Amino acid sequence: MLKKAHWLLWLGFILLLAACQPYQLKGTEYPEGIQAEEFTLTTTEGRPFRLSDQRGKIVLMFFGFTSCPDVCPTTLAEAKRIMEGLGDETENVRFVFITVDPERDTPERLGQYVSNFHPELIGLTGTPEELQTMFDAYGIYAAKVPLEDSAAEYTMDHTARVFLVDQDGRLRLSYAFGTPDEDILQDVQYLLR
Ligand code: NI
């Protein structure tokens, strides 16, 4: 009897240790305290979207274009699963898809594209200058690549990371293309606690 109690005590101790392990963020962390650069872009409904207006919410940002053959649809399918996984907490999260191809991505086309993945996803656009200023601030690469023998004329090479700005407006994390959506979801849920 004594032995069994002893064993249970050890089990309890081990469980307690496991529970006390600090959560390890899955994304690539920026040094603490980096304030995310302010920007104002335009939603597909024509409303301004200013980063500083999102305080108190987590902002996930991805850059791409609607005619992207692979990287963007894959990431937006992940975005959909993240938003679904968040349930009621989606109100505390803004997932934005910022176009790198404003020439072809009209607000209408962009809006239709993102809402096909999830109704809460936000498409953002701007003038080429506004977008370039924002890309420079965040180190986003976006460049036209001519396509030969294609009606599309060109495709875009672009940065394929997801960036996370926390509730205090700090640039906290980024995720390489192909990061499992559960990892991003867990980080977001942790930061929302
Ligand atoms: Ni893409």
Side-chain angles (χ1 to χ4, degrees):
M1 214 51 210
L2 189 70
K3 244 187 178 161
K4 191 175 181 189
H6 203 174
W7 185 83
L8 278 173
L9 205 66
W10 270 108
L11 182 69
F13 180 65
I14 288 162
L15 286 175
L16 193 71
L17 266 186
C20 290
Q21 287 294 316
Y23 176 78
Q24 289 283 320
L25 288 161
K26 307 284 196 295
T28 307
E29 288 185 72
Y30 285 91
E32 286 279 342
I34 285 193
Q35 207 60 27
E37 283 288 333
E38 171 73 316
F39 66 85
T40 304
L41 292 172
T42 308
T43 68
T44 53
E45 284 89 37
R47 281 195 285 271
F49 181 99
R50 196 206 320 235
L51 183 66
S52 55
D53 288 345
Q54 316 307 319
R55 286 297 142 78
K57 295 175 170 53
I58 286 177
V59 181
L60 292 162
M61 306 191 291
F62 186 72
F63 302 82
F65 64 118
T66 62
S67 24
C68 178
D70 39 32
V71 169
C72 295
T74 304
T75 305
L76 288 182
E78 281 204 342
K80 168 196 157 81
R81 291 193 294 272
I82 291 165
M83 296 307 263
E84 285 172 353
L86 283 167
D88 288 346
E89 287 182 304
T90 50
E91 62 182 5
N92 298 315
V93 177
R94 296 281 178 266
F95 203 120
V96 299
F97 180 72
I98 302 170
T99 183
V100 296
D101 188 11
E103 212 174 293
R104 290 185 297 197
D105 287 345
T106 60
E108 193 185 10
R109 180 171 168 164
L110 184 63
Q112 218 154 47
Y113 184 74
V114 296
S115 62
N116 278 342
F117 288 93
H118 193 278
E120 297 290 324
L121 298 182
I122 299 168
L124 294 181
T125 187
T127 66
E129 295 73 30
E130 286 169 337
L131 289 165
Q132 193 56 55
T133 303
M134 198 268 174
F135 298 164
D136 290 344
Y138 285 86
I140 304 305
Y141 174 78
K144 275 188 189 179
V145 180
L147 286 176
E148 278 166 37
D149 306 320
S150 162
E153 286 178 37
Y154 68 90
T155 184
M156 299 293 298
D157 260 2
H158 63 90
T159 299
R161 297 184 82 84
V162 172
F163 295 84
L164 185 151
V165 176
D166 73 10
Q167 300 98 309
D168 301 319
R170 285 175 304 178
L171 185 57
R172 282 291 288 278
L173 296 152
S174 74
Y175 301 88
F177 175 67
T179 300
D181 44 276
E182 305 83 44
D183 285 7
I184 301 177
L185 177 62
Q186 279 177 26
D187 280 3
V188 170
Q189 287 173 325
Y190 170 76
L191 293 172
L192 284 175
R193 253 175 249 144

